[in-house]
Amino acid sequence: MDVKPLVSVFCITYNHEKYIRDAIKGFLMQKTNFNFEIVIHDDASTDGTINILMEYEKKYPELIRVIYETENQYSKFSNPPEFFFSVMRRELKGKYIAMCEGDDYWTDTNKLQMQIDYMKSHSGCMMTAHNATILNCITSERKKFIPHWEEKDLSIHEIVSESIPTASYVCRREALDMGDFFLDIDVGDYSLQLYCFAKGKVHYFDQDMCVYRYLSEGSWSSKQGKNFGNTLRYYVCSLSLLEKYNKYTKGIYEEYLLCEIKRYLGLLNGILHNFSDLSVEQFIAICKDCEEASGYKMHKYYLELIRVFRQHYELSYIDNRLSDFVKENRYVFIWGAGVYGKIIAEQFNNNCIEYEGFVVSDKQLKNEICLGKKIWEASELPYKKEDIGVVIAVRQELKNEILEELHDAEIESYIYPFEISIENLIE
């Protein structure tokens, strides 16, 4: 009679001929006092991966079961994690689920036993994880995945802002039933750790028990570096997930989630210059491709990306927020007479918008005239403070400095149009 396994080890693999033996050896070396199964999902590999899987499946039929796809599901589905989680719900028999992708591997024979013992004795624990070694497949450099944690239950700040090695995950089977919106992101491991935290505790062991291969051939990490569109899409998916998670948890973690949302907005702002050689039409086409790949669930994010790109690179452009800001203020000044200030001035001129001139920090005045308009020092503005509106037109790293000067000058009406705005995105 078949004995139902307590643990299902689930491994997704695709073209991992160089790596899959290490992954399987890591599964087979586990010493446990319970039964476990090894379920490997091959996503239609085209190299020698399938031959290796058949070899091990034949040698260990009581332990290893392989699901062979004839078509690659990751490229076929707009939301691959949703597909893979449905496979896990259907195929895995265990009460607990352990994960390891085919290019990573386990290194400690007691890994599963340690994690399962803890979860069996702590009913409120939804997931356990542990430290890992990062192996750079290009340089062969090795380093600790998480350098600064001790063993503990993780906090919301750590769950939201830190990456945890996927090959360290062991979760309860109930975690596979998370709602579809947790799978909006292309990489489902982050969604899983968020969901498990919402449903219970996530416990971390500060023991290095697996290896995460960074920049392995065909991996997600290697693709991100080669395609800025992929990175763009990943950041947008992360923003969407965090916003929805805030609603799901009824705002109780909003302070921490907003910090992480702002971090992702900063990352998006930081990579926009990578597209500077493109026309506005080309950038819009990239955003539309990314949006289509995500099933059109993230329209507002891509609209905001396009707005900021046009603000930087289209001199005939003026957006509604900036246009409304001009109408709401009697006297409009542009803070900054450099590249960004001249962009705003050209956009104003091309849209027949009047402005008084430019503002620079006190004691930084170099020229009294720019584009035919006077340059004022901040302390010399001639109008009532309540009548003045300032368009901040400087590099992003200087923005906070300008905000402090505006505060000191008691000017309350200002706008910074050159960054992705959280006010435009978060409901």
Side-chain angles (χ1 to χ4, degrees), residues 127-365:
M127 175 188 282
T128 57
H130 55 75
N131 215 335
T133 291
I134 299 176
L135 171 58
N136 188 311
C137 292
I138 305 299
T139 66
S140 298
E141 177 189 3
R142 290 174 177 261
K143 64 180 180 179
K144 202 172 182 180
F145 197 106
I146 302 172
H148 55 281
W149 289 354
E150 58 188 18
E151 181 177 342
K152 58 184 171 179
D153 289 336
L154 298 181
S155 67
I156 180 60
H157 171 72
E158 290 156 340
I159 287 291
V160 168
S161 63
E162 298 285 349
S163 177
I164 303 171
T166 310
S168 76
Y169 287 4
V170 174
C171 63
R172 296 186 186 275
R173 184 182 182 84
E174 302 91 273
L176 302 182
D177 296 325
M178 61 181 175
D180 289 345
F181 78 79
F182 280 100
L183 302 172
D184 278 346
I185 189 169
D186 287 350
V187 184
D189 48 3
Y190 187 49
S191 304
L192 184 61
Q193 70 187 48
L194 285 173
Y195 181 75
C196 286
F197 185 85
K199 293 299 182 181
K201 294 184 181 298
V202 177
H203 189 78
Y204 169 80
F205 297 96
D206 190 26
Q207 292 185 233
D208 184 344
M209 297 190 283
C210 65
V211 169
Y212 164 64
R213 281 192 172 97
Y214 177 63
L215 298 178
S216 61
E217 289 183 18
S219 66
W220 177 85
S221 58
S222 67
K223 292 176 183 177
Q224 293 302 101
K226 296 176 181 177
N227 189 323
F228 292 123
N230 285 342
T231 305
L232 202 72
R233 181 182 170 193
Y234 174 72
Y235 290 163
V236 168
C237 286
S238 299
L239 283 170
S240 177
L241 175 65
L242 290 167
E243 184 183 0
K244 291 177 180 180
Y245 189 69
N246 188 42
K247 294 176 182 177
Y248 180 80
T249 54
K250 297 181 169 47
I252 60 175
Y253 306 124
E254 186 167 80
E255 175 186 353
Y256 304 97
L257 294 170
L258 285 178
C259 286
E260 189 65 5
I261 285 169
K262 289 176 181 178
R263 186 179 76 85
Y264 274 109
L265 291 178
L267 292 170
L268 277 171
N269 281 311
I271 68 166
L272 280 182
H273 74 274
N274 293 315
F275 300 92
S276 59
D277 291 337
L278 302 181
S279 68
V280 171
E281 290 75 16
Q282 289 171 321
F283 182 76
I284 290 174
I286 288 175
C287 288
K288 286 184 176 179
D289 287 344
C290 291
E291 187 176 2
E292 182 179 2
S294 301
Y296 297 102
K297 300 173 183 177
M298 302 162 193
H299 184 60
K300 65 180 181 179
Y301 299 96
Y302 290 109
L303 282 181
E304 180 66 0
L305 282 170
I306 291 167
R307 179 194 72 78
V308 176
F309 189 85
R310 295 180 72 184
Q311 188 71 67
H312 278 85
Y313 302 113
E314 187 178 346
L315 294 180
S316 62
Y317 180 70
I318 191 82
D319 78 347
N320 291 335
R321 285 178 66 238
L322 192 51
S323 179
D324 290 343
F325 178 83
V326 171
K327 293 174 184 176
E328 292 164 1
N329 291 277
R330 187 171 181 181
Y331 303 107
V332 175
F333 292 84
I334 300 171
W335 193 305
V339 173
Y340 287 85
K342 290 173 182 175
I343 289 172
I344 294 293
E346 289 289 340
Q347 290 168 335
F348 279 177
N349 290 334
N350 290 332
N351 287 276
C352 301
I353 293 175
E354 291 293 328
Y355 65 101
E356 299 299 312
F358 297 87
V359 183
V360 296
S361 300
D362 290 349
K363 299 180 181 179
Q364 291 185 357
L365 193 61

